[in-house]
Amino acid sequence: MSRTGKIVSWVAGILLLLIVIIIVVIATFDWNRLKPTINKKVTTELNRPFAIRGDLGVDWARNPQEQGWRRWVPWPQVHAEDIMLGNPPDIPDLTMVHLQRIDATLAPLALLHKELFIPWIKLQRPDARLVQTADKKNNWTFNLASSDSNDQQAAPSAWSFRLDNILFDQGQIRYRDAINHADVTVQVNPLGKPVPYGQIAGGDDKQQGAGDFVFGWQARGTYNDEKLNGEGKIGGMLSLRSQTTPFPVQADIRNGTTRVQVTGGVKDPMNLGGLDVRLRFSGDTLANLYGLTGVLLPDTPPYETDGHLIAKFSDDKGAIYHYQKFNGHIGDSDIHGSLTYSQGKPRPRLSGELTSDQLRMADLGPLIGVDSGKGSDKTAQAKSRRGEKSSQPADRVLPHDRFDTKNWDVMDADVKFSGKRIEHSNSLPLSDLYTHLQLKDGDLLLDPLRFGMAGGTLNSTIRLEGDRTPMRGRADIHARKLRLRQLFPNVQAMQNSLGQLNGDASFTGTGNSVAELLATSNGQLKLLMNDGVISRSLMEIAGLNVGNYVVGKLFGDDQVRINCAATDIKLQNGLATPNLFVFDTENAVINVTGNANFATERMDLSVNPESKGVRIITLRSPLYVRGTFKNPDAGVKAGPLLARGAAAVALGTVVGPAAALLALISPSDNDDNQCSTVLQQMKQQK
């Protein structure tokens, strides 16, 4: 052998010996010696305690799935036991994550391409505890020590990371949140073998391309101080990493009386691509959804809804949720439509359109602070569980339930609602409700709030300024061509009437209930009614016992034709005083004076009759109506009889109001409207 050949042989032999020595050293190295260094380094980088407290080792094995020479390259298989990750200093709990053992294999040749590829990782008894304190500090946000101290954006790493599969026997996650009053424990278990998505979701679901379910989970605990129970299934790592196969999710959660059911898929979950699920809600009141979803909804009777939710998380302006083509009911009212919830700035925004084919008016009661009728027992029980009590005094009639405005500024809204048929009562059919609701910066506007009633229309604009304390409200209401025979369908004599009711009302007030708003109200009410009838039976049907007494004293048991009833009432600081309140009948002119106080809910009215020509009415002394709205009292005023012509003299003071009321009569109705003649006569009084 030549000298050059000997040198090459020696060099090759030495290199082979070094490789053998390195392999032997690596294979026999006690990796536990590195634990103090690893623990210290990770603790420093994560700014929280980290420790491998059990055995740390590396085994080497060839991968039989590799081909050619690659199958001879040994792969390191790392294992570590009793691993603990602690919490940051401002979280009192000691441990965030604990693992009994972790096993993982690493692809060594991938390191040559700057890729950290872990084909599988196996966890034994993973136990995680997520905590958020009352001052909004949490343990799942990591402040890495290696982050740029000059707040400059770090250059992207040339290395990539890939994890193909996660295996574990049983996992547990406990979530405690002082802000949301939550303490929930979630158990996660492998299903044993993958379950096809269609087997769980059903054949009619749109997400048939979603991956298989791999894990099942169960949740127990409390959320918002209400009992929480839930169960469901999720997919595995293959669909979690996929950009084309939706990650499957299925959940059935009950929180208090609220139930939420979800089945669908998450698109490109590693990059929060979006959500496409079937979503069902049900519960005692929509208001309870605020704690679960952050969407501000009104207090309602029991509800249920089922629709299709599509969410986009990557929008520059924030996440957008589309709840499309849902159907359901609120109380006894059906509800359909589509809504969009956008998490923009300065506040999230809810927009969309809703319709109802049959709307029960009582189901809208909680929106204006009154009981909802059927179903209100369940709503009252729900309020009781939340510690809320009814604020309605036993001796008051006006609604005292308060508008809850404290959250009105957390969200804006722009929603249109249409109700085709409205169930109010057998005696007063309503129809064609339409309103455009706008909530902005705590101010609520209903413009218009319009519906058909008794053959006519009721058109109004309502504004509630919830950003003020107390709240300030304004209402403008216009009633046009309400037909008397439809207003009183149970009064036989009224069925031959061609009369109408027209009116305008406008008032402002402050307070957080209907009662408070009226108690402080300022404004005016104008009403005209022509060609009607009045009788004791009409008062009985209307439930007006005092009116029954007054009509009986004036007219006996007979039905009396009303040529015109007109009123012009001034509201000042909750005190309603009529500038004009007169009934022109075929037998007499009846003038009502006095006042009604909405703050005290008391009234003091005088009813002054004046016969026309021959004396027909049974009493010529004035009547009084006094007492409270809830328990009124009526009787005959003591004193001399009413002087003849006194009522007519009194009408001489109402020239202004009479002229103003003429504006309520449509020019096309002038010839047929008895009020036109009566008001013209009043206007000419000197």
Side-chain angles (χ1 to χ4, degrees):
M1 180 181 297
S2 65
R3 183 178 180 183
T4 302
K6 291 180 180 180
I7 293 174
V8 171
S9 298
W10 275 99
V11 171
I14 291 172
L15 290 175
L16 180 60
L17 179 61
L18 288 174
I19 292 173
V20 171
I21 292 173
I22 291 172
I23 293 175
V24 171
V25 169
I26 292 176
T28 60
F29 181 74
D30 185 4
W31 294 93
N32 288 296
R33 295 182 180 181
L34 296 181
K35 288 196 302 183
T37 302
I38 295 174
N39 293 344
K40 182 178 179 180
K41 179 65 174 176
V42 175
T43 296
T44 301
E45 289 294 323
L46 298 183
N47 282 319
R48 61 181 67 194
F50 174 83
I52 302 174
R53 299 181 294 194
D55 183 54
L56 174 64
V58 178
D59 299 320
W60 298 83
R62 291 181 297 172
N63 187 351
Q65 297 180 352
E66 292 284 3
Q67 301 295 325
W69 63 270
R70 294 174 177 269
R71 67 193 306 260
W72 294 96
V73 178
W75 286 34
Q77 296 182 355
V78 183
H79 69 268
E81 297 178 349
D82 194 8
I83 305 147
M84 185 276 294
L85 175 64
N87 284 307
D90 46 11
I91 302 294
D93 296 60
L94 179 63
T95 304
M96 177 183 177
V97 177
H98 180 262
L99 297 167
Q100 287 189 3
R101 180 182 171 100
I102 181 171
D103 292 88
T105 186
L106 177 67
L109 296 179
L111 299 174
L112 300 177
H113 307 289
K114 295 186 177 181
E115 179 185 27
L116 184 61
F117 173 34
I118 300 176
W120 57 264
I121 185 170
K122 183 177 180 180
L123 311 176
Q124 285 188 12
R125 297 284 179 176
D127 187 350
R129 302 175 185 180
L130 306 179
V131 179
Q132 180 164 248
T133 62
D135 53 359
K136 297 185 178 181
K137 295 178 181 178
N138 64 70
N139 65 346
W140 58 80
T141 300
F142 288 82
N143 296 318
L144 302 181
S146 59
S147 60
D148 196 331
S149 59
N150 294 324
D151 293 330
Q152 298 176 355
Q153 185 175 359
S157 174
W159 286 78
S160 61
F161 175 76
R162 174 182 168 187
L163 174 63
D164 271 3
N165 202 3
I166 295 180
L167 307 170
F168 58 85
D169 48 0
Q170 185 182 63
Q172 176 176 285
I173 302 171
R174 186 178 181 187
Y175 170 65
R176 289 186 291 122
D177 190 335
I179 297 176
N180 294 309
H181 305 284
D183 189 348
V184 180
T185 299
V186 181
Q187 297 282 348
V188 184
N189 298 286
L191 296 176
K193 63 177 182 179
V195 177
Y197 177 84
Q199 183 175 325
I200 302 297
D204 59 344
D205 193 275
K206 296 183 179 181
Q207 283 289 342
Q208 286 299 310
D212 294 338
F213 291 105
V214 177
F215 299 105
W217 59 269
Q218 291 183 328
R220 298 289 184 271
T222 59
Y223 189 88
N224 275 333
D225 294 326
E226 295 273 6
K227 184 178 179 181
L228 182 142
N229 293 289
E231 61 182 5
K233 298 175 180 63
I234 57 175
M237 284 299 300
L238 291 178
S239 53
L240 185 65
R241 290 191 300 104
S242 175
Q243 296 183 354
T244 57
T245 302
F247 180 77
V249 293
Q250 184 261 331
D252 187 347
I253 302 172
R254 297 175 185 267
N255 181 213
T257 60
T258 300
R259 183 179 184 183
V260 180
Q261 297 171 279
V262 175
T263 305
V266 181
K267 298 180 179 179
D268 193 10
M270 299 298 289
N271 298 309
L272 293 178
L275 187 69
D276 191 341
V277 300
R278 182 179 181 183
L279 179 62
R280 302 175 183 174
F281 286 115
S282 62
D284 278 353
T285 170
L286 284 170
N288 287 345
L289 290 176
Y290 178 67
L292 284 173
T293 65
V295 181
L296 182 64
L297 295 170
D299 194 7
T300 67
Y303 70 94
E304 184 175 1
T305 179
D306 183 351
H308 187 205
L309 177 65
I310 298 176
K312 297 180 180 179
F313 302 121
S314 57
D315 192 273
D316 294 338
K317 297 181 181 180
I320 301 177
Y321 301 84
H322 301 280
Y323 193 33
Q324 298 180 340
K325 298 180 180 179
F326 63 84
N327 299 290
H329 68 83
I330 299 175
D332 291 332
S333 305
D334 65 280
I335 189 76
H336 319 274
S338 296
L339 293 171
T340 297
Y341 182 72
S342 307
Q343 289 183 328
K345 298 293 183 179
R347 287 169 300 278
R349 184 172 184 266
L350 181 70
S351 60
E353 295 190 13
L354 304 174
T355 62
S356 176
D357 294 326
Q358 179 161 319
L359 176 67
R360 185 172 178 268
M361 202 66 176
D363 293 331
L364 299 180
L367 300 180
I368 57 173
V370 298
D371 289 338
S372 62
K374 184 177 180 181
S376 62
D377 289 342
K378 290 184 178 180
T379 305
Q381 292 171 8
K383 288 185 177 182
S384 178
R385 283 190 295 269
R386 299 194 301 265
E388 300 175 18
K389 296 181 179 179
S390 175
S391 56
Q392 184 69 26
D395 61 341
R396 295 300 180 100
V397 173
L398 299 177
H400 279 66
D401 283 352
R402 300 181 66 79
F403 293 96
D404 188 3
T405 63
K406 66 178 183 295
N407 291 324
W408 283 15
D409 60 349
V410 303
M411 184 186 80
D412 291 344
D414 190 328
V415 178
K416 298 176 181 179
F417 178 79
S418 301
K420 296 179 182 178
R421 182 180 182 276
I422 303 172
E423 179 189 337
H424 178 60
S425 67
N426 294 330
S427 60
L428 185 58
L430 305 173
S431 63
D432 299 324
L433 169 66
Y434 174 80
T435 187
H436 184 186
L437 181 151
Q438 299 174 74
L439 178 64
K440 187 173 182 180
D441 198 15
D443 286 358
L444 177 65
L445 175 64
L446 299 175
D447 184 21
L449 174 57
R450 179 179 66 237
F451 53 86
M453 184 171 72
T457 60
L458 198 65
N459 200 336
S460 60
T461 299
I462 310 294
R463 181 184 293 275
L464 301 175
E465 299 178 21
D467 60 337
R468 294 174 176 265
T469 304
M471 181 180 73
R472 185 168 68 182
R474 178 180 179 87
D476 293 288
I477 305 170
H478 308 281
R480 290 295 182 269
K481 297 186 177 181
L482 309 188
R483 299 186 180 276
L484 298 183
R485 62 184 177 187
Q486 293 179 248
L487 274 174
F488 305 102
N490 295 325
V491 180
Q492 184 61 39
M494 199 74 83
Q495 298 311 298
N496 297 323
S497 171
L498 299 178
Q500 297 179 355
L501 178 69
N502 294 280
D504 288 332
S506 177
F507 72 89
T508 61
T510 58
N512 283 70
S513 70
V514 172
E516 290 178 356
L517 288 169
L518 290 174
T520 58
S521 59
N522 293 284
Q524 196 164 28
L525 169 67
K526 300 176 183 179
L527 287 175
L528 277 184
M529 184 183 79
N530 67 285
D531 298 320
V533 297
I534 190 169
S535 67
R536 293 185 65 178
S537 61
L538 175 59
M539 297 295 100
E540 290 174 358
I541 291 172
L544 301 177
N545 294 328
V546 170
N548 184 345
Y549 171 85
V550 172
V551 172
K553 285 293 184 182
L554 293 176
F555 305 113
D557 294 327
D558 296 333
Q559 291 180 338
V560 178
R561 180 184 177 88
I562 298 177
N563 298 322
C564 177
T567 183
D568 183 346
I569 298 176
K570 179 181 180 182
L571 280 166
Q572 188 169 11
N573 294 325
L575 186 66
T577 306
N579 295 322
L580 171 67
F581 195 169
V582 64
F583 292 85
D584 183 83
T585 74
E586 56 186 347
N587 298 328
V589 174
I590 302 164
N591 193 32
V592 181
T593 59
N595 59 66
N597 193 319
F598 287 103
T600 61
E601 293 196 21
R602 299 190 67 87
M603 68 183 93
D604 186 1
L605 301 174
S606 295
V607 182
N608 305 304
E610 172 64 20
S611 296
K612 289 183 175 180
V614 180
R615 177 183 172 187
I616 297 177
I617 62 174
T618 61
L619 186 70
R620 294 183 63 234
S621 290
L623 305 178
Y624 67 81
V625 179
R626 299 170 184 160
T628 66
F629 293 178
K630 190 176 184 68
N631 297 300
D633 176 48
V636 180
K637 280 191 174 183
L641 298 179
L642 182 69
R644 183 172 179 81
V649 172
L651 293 180
T653 65
V654 296
V655 175
L661 286 169
L662 280 168
L664 294 178
I665 302 175
S666 171
S668 61
D669 296 331
N670 260 332
D671 294 338
D672 300 325
N673 197 314
Q674 292 287 335
C675 282
S676 178
T677 303
V678 173
L679 292 174
Q680 288 289 357
Q681 293 173 353
M682 291 182 184
K683 183 179 177 181
Q684 296 170 7
Q685 293 284 340
K686 299 296 183 183

